[in-house]
Amino acid sequence: MDAVICMALIELQNIYFQYPNCQKVLEGVNFSLDDGEKIGLLGGNGAGKTTLFHLILGLLVPDQGRVSIFGGYCGTETDFRKIRPRIGLLFQDPDDQLFCPSVIEDVAFGPLNMGMAHADARRRAVNTLESLGIRHLMDRVPYHLSGGEKRLVSVAAVLSMRPEVLLLDEPTTGLDQNMTDRLIGVLHEYPAKAWIVISHDQRLIDGLTEKNYLLDCGRVVSTS
Ligand SMILES: Nc1ncnc2c1ncn2[C@@H]1O[C@H](COP(=O)(O)OP(=O)(O)OP(=O)(O)O)[C@@H](O)[C@H]1O
Ligand SMILES: [Mg+2]
């Protein structure tokens, strides 16, 4: 029988990180995300969860350690540029995600940026908004949306790029129960290879993840 070689989609080896002139945030993180894994990343406020997501995508650079994505070592901005379109990051703060004058432009931005024709990008954006039940927001100014509406538009902006892996940083912040349930349904329909969800919302964690990790004292430990 042929040997099956499992390649991690994301692998962090011995990651250390601290912000300039601040205390250490990550102190020897080892973590991997395999194909098919749906993971919850838990941890108290300030534990370093958001920081970890930013390190995975090269938005921050580790002081020490190795980041490998889709089996390849990522050490330079050029390396990260290649993998970013394949990993969808939902920022914790929607204002970091939304910057266009209208919702439809924000949701079409990713597909356009990836080279899709204008009409196709717009169609995909509309479909994605529709799947989340927020098509009626398409001509609104993102800045003037409510917190929950901004959150949903941010999710649409991520999903419209059809990334293979999702990194969702507190996706239900500001969402009511109905919208939380709808989001769980939409994500279950979405053909992701794997995802990591950061959340303090137990209902979301129960609905979306099969295995949970805790970020505590600068390290990632398994909880289940
Ligand atoms: N740009 C920054 N400059 C300096 N310190 C920062 C910066 N961003 C975050 N920190 C600090 O790094 C630590 C980890 O922050 P991070 O945002 O990763 O935590 P978190 O686990 O995502 O928390 P939360 O659950 O509140 O979102 C915190 O102590 C935070 O104050
Ligand atoms: Mg955070």
Side-chain angles (χ1 to χ4, degrees):
M1 200 170 71
D2 290 342
V4 177
I5 299 169
C6 291
M7 176 193 78
L9 300 175
I10 294 173
E11 186 166 24
L12 304 178
Q13 291 171 282
N14 204 29
I15 298 288
Y16 284 75
F17 179 80
Q18 74 184 104
Y19 291 95
N21 306 316
C22 295
Q23 67 186 43
K24 289 178 180 143
V25 180
L26 303 178
E27 298 187 73
V29 165
N30 289 294
F31 171 81
S32 73
L33 179 75
D34 293 333
D35 201 339
E37 284 194 309
K38 307 288 165 71
I39 281 175
L41 181 60
L42 315 177
N45 293 129
K49 305 179 296 298
T50 296
T51 301
L52 193 75
F53 272 7
H54 291 185
L55 285 158
I56 289 172
L57 281 176
L59 306 179
L60 293 170
V61 179
D63 300 323
Q64 200 183 309
R66 282 173 67 90
V67 178
S68 300
I69 311 287
F70 300 120
Y73 168 64
C74 287
T76 66
E77 175 60 19
T78 309
D79 298 334
F80 282 107
R81 277 216 188 116
K82 286 186 199 138
I83 60 88
R84 277 187 202 126
R86 300 173 64 190
I87 300 186
L89 169 64
L90 180 75
F91 282 91
Q92 181 168 3
D93 183 349
D95 290 334
D96 289 336
Q97 199 110 41
L98 306 175
F99 47 83
C100 292
S102 71
V103 165
I104 189 74
E105 286 169 278
D106 256 325
V107 180
F109 179 85
L112 278 175
N113 203 32
M114 290 161 72
M116 193 178 265
H118 194 271
D120 293 339
R122 188 181 162 89
R123 197 171 310 120
R124 182 183 279 187
V126 171
N127 289 343
T128 308
L129 288 167
E130 205 155 58
S131 73
L132 286 158
I134 52 168
R135 185 183 169 146
H136 59 283
L137 299 178
M138 63 189 273
D139 294 320
R140 296 278 305 276
V141 179
Y143 182 71
H144 292 153
L145 297 175
S146 75
E149 288 168 340
K150 276 187 192 173
R151 200 78 197 122
L152 289 167
V153 172
S154 300
V155 171
V158 171
L159 297 187
S160 70
M161 288 188 281
R162 303 289 188 267
E164 295 160 51
V165 176
L166 299 175
L167 303 181
L168 305 175
D169 198 344
E170 305 202 18
T172 54
T173 303
L175 297 192
D176 63 33
Q177 206 54 74
N178 277 344
M179 283 316 307
T180 296
D181 290 342
R182 184 178 297 173
L183 180 60
I184 291 171
V186 168
L187 291 173
H188 277 299
E189 293 286 307
Y190 184 83
K193 283 186 176 166
W195 62 55
I196 307 173
V197 179
I198 293 173
S199 184
H200 301 284
D201 178 348
Q202 194 57 46
R203 187 182 172 98
L204 184 80
I205 291 292
D206 291 344
L208 283 184
T209 70
E210 292 146 8
K211 185 168 161 188
N212 294 320
Y213 288 92
L214 178 69
L215 185 46
D216 188 36
C217 299
R219 287 172 179 240
V220 172
V221 291
S222 177
T223 64
S224 53

